Amino acid sequence: MPEPTQRTAIVTGAARGIGAAVALRLAADGMQVGVIDLDEAACAGTVDAIARAGGRALAVGADVADEAAAEAAVERIATQLGEPAVLVNNAGVLRDNLLFKMSVDDWDTVLAVHLRGSFLMSRAVQAYMTKAGYGRIVNLSSTSALGNRGQANYAAAKAGLQGFTKTLAIELGKFGITCNAIAPGFIVTDMTAATAARIGVDFEQFTQATAKTIPVQRPGYPEDIAHTASFLVSEGAGFVSGQVLYVAGGPRD
Ligand code: NAP
């Protein structure tokens, strides 16, 4: 089914990694893209790459966990680019530690960015989507939602996002809005590189060792998640809602 050409998408945490790949892919799919990250200048690489490929994008600096900033970012994108029809809640951080060493700040930061941020961004865009009678929301969960040593905060946030996703699907379905989650497994990004660095392992070796544990015998790449997001936000995916799609090179749920 061809995509309408004028849809506007918002991707958070899109300066790099999975978010950048999703932004590029949605632009290639014909959407104009609001590229949100903490630092507006850091979004330049993504915005320039979209422009070089013939697309249109706007860089917006905002902390998605900050209510006023999240709402202002959505309003600015609606005004300068177009009213959002698609939102991909991708911004994320890690503060890994075993429970007995995990600080309250580690807990609060991770819950704030992933859960509060997705809530604030979704609440802001739904005003436009319900008015238009169309919308697509995708939340980035993780296989860590199933439990992962050293990630009590992150696992709780990513499991919470799954419940959040299903509830938005129920509440917003009658307005033509779908909401789904992608739960990636191991994806090669700065985030997984930071995990390797934290445990003192060479990233290339870490990646190769992890790949051996994955049924398809390779690591995931940001483009694998971008491809999945492209499907979930497409016009034709309107009957897919409230789902959690594990994109992990094998079954993980
Ligand atoms: P990444 O390379 O660390 O990129 C995350 C981006 O989010 C960064 O640009 C970061 O900005 C931005 N960000 C952080 N806090 C933010 C905030 N409060 N407001 C706006 N932007 C913020 O991570 P990634 O690997 O691409 O992961 C993207 C998403 O996929 C995350 O939700 C992650 O949990 C999820 N995921 C990743 C994997 C994986 O294996 N990589 C697996 C499962 C799920 P700064 O650079 O300024 O911090």
Side-chain angles (χ1 to χ4, degrees):
M1 204 177 295
E3 294 291 336
T5 49
Q6 291 305 309
R7 293 225 192 278
T8 297
I10 296 177
V11 185
T12 69
R16 57 193 168 95
I18 292 170
V22 170
L24 282 162
R25 175 60 189 262
L26 299 192
D29 289 346
M31 297 176 209
Q32 39 212 19
V33 185
V35 175
I36 296 181
D37 212 289
L38 278 172
D39 176 14
E40 187 162 318
C43 298
T46 306
V47 169
D48 291 350
I50 289 172
R52 277 197 306 276
R56 194 166 161 238
L58 177 70
V60 178
D63 176 354
V64 295
D66 179 297
E67 183 179 9
E71 287 181 357
V74 170
E75 200 181 314
R76 190 175 150 207
I77 290 165
T79 308
Q80 296 185 12
L81 207 56
E83 299 195 350
V86 169
L87 169 67
V88 180
N89 283 310
N90 167 84
V93 289
L94 292 180
R95 295 287 185 276
D96 293 357
N97 228 328
L98 293 174
L99 179 63
F100 77 103
K101 288 194 276 191
M102 187 173 285
S103 69
V104 170
D105 189 54
D106 289 339
W107 177 269
D108 287 346
T109 300
V110 169
L111 272 285
V113 176
H114 296 269
L115 266 183
R116 183 182 156 93
S118 298
F119 154 66
L120 290 172
M121 290 298 301
S122 301
R123 194 182 63 174
V125 298
Q126 61 77 35
Y128 297 98
M129 293 176 177
T130 51
K131 194 175 61 162
Y134 180 90
R136 300 278 184 264
I137 298 174
V138 172
N139 298 315
L140 265 292
S141 180
S142 167
T143 51
S144 292
L146 304 167
N148 199 23
R149 186 178 163 81
Q151 292 196 318
N153 49 2
Y154 186 77
K158 293 307 198 185
L161 275 173
Q162 297 192 9
F164 178 67
T165 298
K166 290 172 191 290
T167 302
L168 293 201
I170 291 166
E171 288 188 15
L172 300 176
K174 67 179 171 196
F175 300 104
I177 302 167
T178 66
C179 184
N180 292 285
I182 300 173
F186 181 87
I187 309 295
V188 175
T189 68
D190 291 347
M191 186 178 269
T192 39
T195 299
R198 187 177 59 81
I199 58 178
V201 184
D202 172 71
F203 187 46
E204 185 57 34
Q205 285 172 9
F206 184 62
T207 301
Q208 293 315 318
T210 305
K212 290 197 178 88
T213 69
I214 298 172
V216 300
Q217 299 282 291
R218 71 162 176 87
Y221 296 100
E223 292 70 26
D224 291 309
I225 306 306
H227 192 71
T228 312
S230 170
F231 162 69
L232 289 173
V233 307
S234 67
E235 191 94 6
F239 207 54
V240 182
S241 197
Q243 301 304 304
V244 179
L245 188 45
Y246 283 82
V247 182
R252 272 299 307 267
D253 63 336

